[in-house]
Amino acid sequence: MKTDRFQHPDHYLIDELLTEEHKLIRDSVREWVKRELSPIIEDYAQRAEFPRHILRGLGEIGAFGPSLPAEYGCGGLDQISYGLIMQELERCDSGIRSTASVQGSLVMFPIYAYGSEEQKRRFLPKLAGGELMGCFGLTEPDFGSNPGGMITNYRDRGNHYVLNGAKMWISNAPFADIAIVWAKNEEGRIHGLIVERGMEGFTTPETHNKWSLRASATGELVFDDVKVPKANLLPGVSGLKGPMSCLDSARYGIAWGAVGAAMDCYDSALNYARERIQFDKPIAAFQLTQKKLAEMVTEITKAQLMNWRLGVLKNEGRATTAQISMAKRNNVEIALRIAREARQIHGGMGITGEYPIMRHMMNLESVVTYEGTHDIHLLITGMDITGIAAFR
Amino acid sequence: MNIMVCLSQVPDTTTRIVFTADGKSLDKSGVQFIINPYDELALTKALELNEALGSGSVTVVHVGRADSESNLRKAMAIGADKAIRVDADATDSIQVARELKAVATKGNYDLILCGRESIDYNGGVVGGLLAELLGLPLINIMTSMSSNGKDAEVSFDVDGGRAFAQVSHPFVATCQKELTEPRIPNMRGIMMARTKPLEVVSAETDSGPTQVSRFDLPPAKSGCRFVDPADMDQLVTLLHEQSKVI
């Protein structure tokens, strides 16, 4: 792997819209990524292994729940800071960003938003530091885009609940210490439970042979009469809005992260096009290469502006689910297209591990599907503008 | 220990250097300035020394204008307790050293650390000038240091080798690469930096005695030319007639 000399494109001087602290956070995470992650990521992806030794470092740089309050050991930063951290992590690898997204948005956020004070004090500081890791169980083998149909359920047995069912496609599952599991009670209402590793009947088999997110650990959550203490129920929410609000937060992070992956592909393609000589001149001198590069930077610029505006709305508490859907869908799509075009510019070299392109491209094939598929997000926009849901 | 770290900012190492139309100064438009990497080592070493002793304070001191404050904030995010900015354009080494001396004499510092040089003008003399102005010993191009707060064990580069010495505080040292690894600000540090004091003090003088007449860029590198190893005559001819080095 070559030395990581990434520089982000800023065609519209969007840096001027950021505060000095935003830039310090972004540059610090980028520096950390270049020092700690870039030299190893290709190797871990090739071996399909998650680099667990980086978890404490991720905690220190603020990757886990940075926008949650400082009183729980978190960063107390704004939503743009959170977005920039996700952008820098995914600039390196979507799998690493996934780990951070899950921990921050899908584990820490519901504990913060819907947990008891005792649950917040017990779990949040350790999750923020990477001492404890979590995962999020919503998707089931037969219920992906339609999570409301879930089968996983728990029953009240007096002084505890008994949980049964299975979840799949769960990032962080193989090593997570806790799982936020969404399950139905006797009345069919969805609630969140904190399931802890070591509880009898709870297993987390790993999903092998992935061609995507290879540097991220994915698995299943299997519950076979798991006794869950009543103190582990998230008391503050009931119904599908619980998990959906978590996904809003995670999808917002993905919208920023995908731009990170896109910028990495563009930066690599631009440098390669300047250096690669064919017919006695750099391939950047050919119109077809310039077309590709110019379209890439145009799409990146639009996505950067979209993220910034969404961040401002989120800071003001005004970002809607539909707005977040649009950004997630658009930015992942342009990232995928940019990865494919960048691969072409790199020629044959683009398929090797010498360059990050193919790894990003394969990762993004997961990102375009998870956290709401590409098509479902389009239908969310459709519902938003017509008032009619086309997916029910 | 009460440690002062002298900190300058320099153009990012990836900057394409362009001068203003009159050739007298760097065209700063679009240039990103970073903490001089050797000064970053000095800062990290200062933090490590105090961590080993269990207490102390680190003050970063900079001669420059308000546009450098983001780097001073970064220094405090890395761990400095306080920053002092001397409000002046840094024009030459002796001016910077005099301004640093003015701050140092008010601070009762046990140790003053500088980078071995800044990576823009590469003068490498501010540390030495400062030591002289303060009448303190100088450890130049320091490669290692440990201290009990009163006396320090140090090593430093000398021509063709390395020297090892003991020195009593206070003293001035300039920091070399292998002294330590620079730290990256973490989230806690960034949050704490928000409330740390950044003091701005007036300069003693407006500018230094040196004035630049003109900067020239080095001549562009010519391409590499291959010569058949069997044809030594051609090599000699090229070196003699074209490169004019023999």
Side-chain angles (χ1 to χ4, degrees):
Chain A
M1 192 83 180
K2 291 182 160 72
T3 306
D4 183 354
R5 298 190 194 286
F6 171 77
Q7 285 182 291
H8 70 279
D10 187 13
H11 214 65
Y12 264 40
L13 309 180
I14 297 164
D15 269 16
E16 292 177 11
L17 299 172
L18 304 177
T19 64
E20 288 302 328
E21 189 174 277
H22 287 149
K23 285 185 269 190
L24 177 57
I25 289 163
R26 179 195 64 196
D27 296 348
S28 300
V29 176
R30 186 174 299 171
E31 213 177 324
W32 183 83
V33 163
K34 285 185 177 182
R35 191 192 288 185
E36 304 292 333
L37 279 185
S38 300
I40 61 161
I41 191 65
E42 181 64 29
D43 184 43
Y44 275 87
Q46 293 281 1
R47 288 190 281 116
E49 188 182 331
F50 175 72
R52 287 186 65 173
H53 66 278
I54 65 163
L55 290 174
R56 289 294 181 94
L58 281 169
E60 276 183 20
I61 59 157
F64 299 146
S67 53
L68 299 181
E71 64 174 303
Y72 298 114
C74 307
L77 304 175
D78 74 347
Q79 292 293 331
I80 291 179
S81 303
Y82 171 58
L84 287 166
I85 295 170
M86 295 303 114
Q87 171 189 294
E88 293 305 312
L89 293 180
E90 191 147 4
R91 205 277 299 173
C92 177
D93 192 89
S94 305
I96 305 299
R97 198 269 307 136
S98 298
T99 289
S101 278
V102 168
Q103 180 88 338
S105 291
L106 303 183
V107 177
M108 295 172 71
F109 173 76
I111 292 174
Y112 168 70
Y114 309 123
S116 65
E117 193 56 33
E118 191 198 334
Q119 288 167 343
K120 291 183 211 180
R121 303 257 168 229
R122 181 178 166 207
F123 292 111
L124 289 179
K126 286 182 178 171
L127 289 163
E131 259 180 87
L132 266 187
M133 291 303 295
C135 63
F136 175 89
L138 177 66
T139 298
E140 298 188 355
D142 293 326
F143 295 94
S145 295
N146 175 24
M150 69 171 65
I151 293 168
T152 300
N153 64 85
Y154 65 94
R155 298 288 175 260
D156 193 330
R157 292 284 180 264
N159 59 351
H160 63 265
Y161 301 116
V162 171
L163 178 67
N164 278 289
K167 303 286 182 180
M168 72 185 302
W169 305 123
I170 311 299
S171 294
N172 299 359
F175 59 80
D177 303 290
I178 63 169
I180 302 294
V181 178
W182 300 94
K184 285 179 176 168
N185 64 11
E186 287 89 343
E187 288 83 46
R189 290 291 292 175
I190 295 171
H191 283 269
L193 295 161
I194 305 171
V195 181
E196 299 174 52
R197 186 171 293 282
M199 287 180 172
E200 204 179 327
F202 173 40
T203 51
T204 59
E206 185 161 358
T207 305
H208 293 289
N209 302 327
K210 293 178 297 172
W211 283 115
S212 178
L213 301 179
R214 287 171 63 81
S216 165
T218 312
E220 295 170 45
L221 305 176
V222 181
F223 314 103
D224 182 12
D225 282 334
V226 180
K227 282 186 190 173
V228 182
K230 287 197 162 174
N232 283 27
L233 181 90
L234 296 176
V237 73
S238 167
L240 208 52
K241 72 171 186 285
M244 287 303 157
S245 64
C246 302
L247 293 176
D248 268 357
S249 174
R251 289 166 181 169
Y252 168 77
I254 293 172
W256 283 84
V259 176
M263 292 195 298
D264 200 40
C265 292
Y266 166 75
D267 184 62
S268 184
L270 179 62
N271 289 329
Y272 190 86
R274 281 174 173 156
E275 288 164 10
R276 172 72 174 166
I277 308 289
Q278 288 292 285
F279 304 103
D280 300 322
K281 55 186 177 183
I283 61 170
F286 294 103
Q287 287 187 357
L288 287 176
T289 309
Q290 288 196 5
K291 175 181 185 288
K292 290 184 178 73
L293 291 168
E295 285 176 349
M296 284 183 200
V297 79
T298 305
E299 290 307 319
I300 286 168
T301 303
K302 284 150 68 180
Q304 285 170 328
L305 284 165
M306 199 175 206
N307 279 346
W308 177 82
R309 178 62 188 152
L310 191 62
V312 171
L313 289 172
K314 207 151 190 310
N315 278 342
E316 294 169 354
R318 295 198 290 147
T320 64
T321 296
Q323 287 166 337
I324 294 168
S325 265
M326 184 186 279
K328 188 268 184 185
R329 180 179 184 277
N330 179 77
N331 296 0
V332 177
E333 182 183 32
I334 65 115
L336 252 177
R337 267 196 277 132
I338 286 168
R340 287 171 186 151
E341 294 290 285
R343 216 289 303 147
Q344 295 227 37
I345 289 175
H346 285 77
M349 290 308 292
I351 69 160
T352 71
E354 282 286 299
Y355 294 89
I357 312 302
M358 201 78 187
R359 182 164 46 79
H360 280 309
M361 197 197 302
M362 295 196 299
N363 283 342
L364 288 163
E365 288 293 342
S366 290
V367 183
V368 79
T369 291
Y370 73 18
E371 306 261 1
T373 68
H374 193 61
D375 287 346
I376 288 287
H377 282 301
L378 192 74
L379 296 181
I380 289 173
T381 304
M383 180 175 70
D384 194 45
I385 57 177
T386 65
I388 306 163
F391 47 80
R392 290 199 189 112
Chain B
M1 283 193 292
N2 189 16
I3 305 175
M4 167 171 155
V5 175
C6 307
L7 196 136
S8 63
Q9 64 169 15
V10 295
D12 194 352
T13 46
T14 54
T15 305
R16 283 186 61 204
I17 301 296
V18 178
F19 295 110
T20 51
D22 62 7
K24 288 186 177 177
S25 57
L26 173 75
D27 182 353
K28 292 182 181 173
S29 54
V31 174
Q32 198 194 342
F33 284 85
I34 60 170
I35 298 174
N36 178 40
Y38 289 111
D39 300 348
E40 224 168 340
L41 296 178
L43 171 59
T44 308
K45 188 63 192 176
L47 298 169
E48 288 171 358
L49 287 166
N50 278 347
E51 283 162 7
L53 289 169
S55 67
S57 168
V58 175
T59 303
V60 291
V61 183
H62 169 72
V63 181
R65 297 298 185 185
D67 59 6
S68 57
E69 287 188 359
S70 58
N71 277 324
L72 295 178
R73 205 51 79 186
K74 179 180 178 185
M76 291 191 280
I78 291 170
D81 300 285
K82 181 184 173 188
I84 298 173
R85 178 172 69 81
V86 181
D87 192 27
D89 291 313
T91 54
D92 65 18
S93 301
I94 187 68
Q95 175 220 10
V96 171
R98 283 172 181 156
E99 296 295 346
L100 292 173
K101 180 213 165 190
V103 173
T105 48
K106 291 174 198 148
N108 195 28
Y109 295 104
D110 303 303
L111 174 68
I112 298 175
L113 294 177
C114 308
R116 61 165 287 184
E117 63 185 355
S118 63
I119 62 160
D120 47 5
Y121 296 102
N122 302 84
V125 293
V126 168
L129 291 168
L130 181 58
E132 171 63 19
L133 290 171
L134 291 167
L136 292 178
L138 171 72
I139 303 300
N140 204 26
I141 315 189
M142 184 166 73
T143 51
S144 71
M145 174 181 171
S146 60
S147 171
N148 60 14
K150 288 193 170 126
D151 302 297
E153 301 260 351
V154 299
S155 66
F156 53 97
D157 281 349
V158 292
D159 268 354
R162 181 154 295 173
F164 299 82
Q166 293 179 334
V167 57
S168 299
H169 291 283
F171 64 94
V172 177
T174 71
C175 300
Q176 167 69 316
K177 257 181 198 164
E178 65 193 84
L179 187 63
T180 186
E181 280 283 308
R183 288 186 187 178
I184 298 169
N186 60 28
M187 186 180 61
R188 188 163 297 281
I190 291 170
M191 287 160 60
M192 286 169 68
R194 289 176 183 165
T195 52
K196 288 180 178 176
L198 197 166
E199 188 186 339
V200 180
V201 299
S202 302
E204 303 271 304
T205 54
D206 285 342
S207 61
T210 317
Q211 271 160 22
V212 173
S213 308
R214 196 182 77 235
F215 284 109
D216 280 343
L217 285 168
K221 283 181 189 165
S222 53
C224 186
R225 190 156 167 196
F226 292 93
V227 175
D228 186 343
D231 193 356
M232 279 301 110
D233 287 349
Q234 191 200 1
L235 179 64
V236 171
T237 307
L238 285 171
L239 290 172
H240 183 62
E241 291 176 6
Q242 213 173 72
S243 309
K244 299 191 192 321
V245 291
I246 55 171

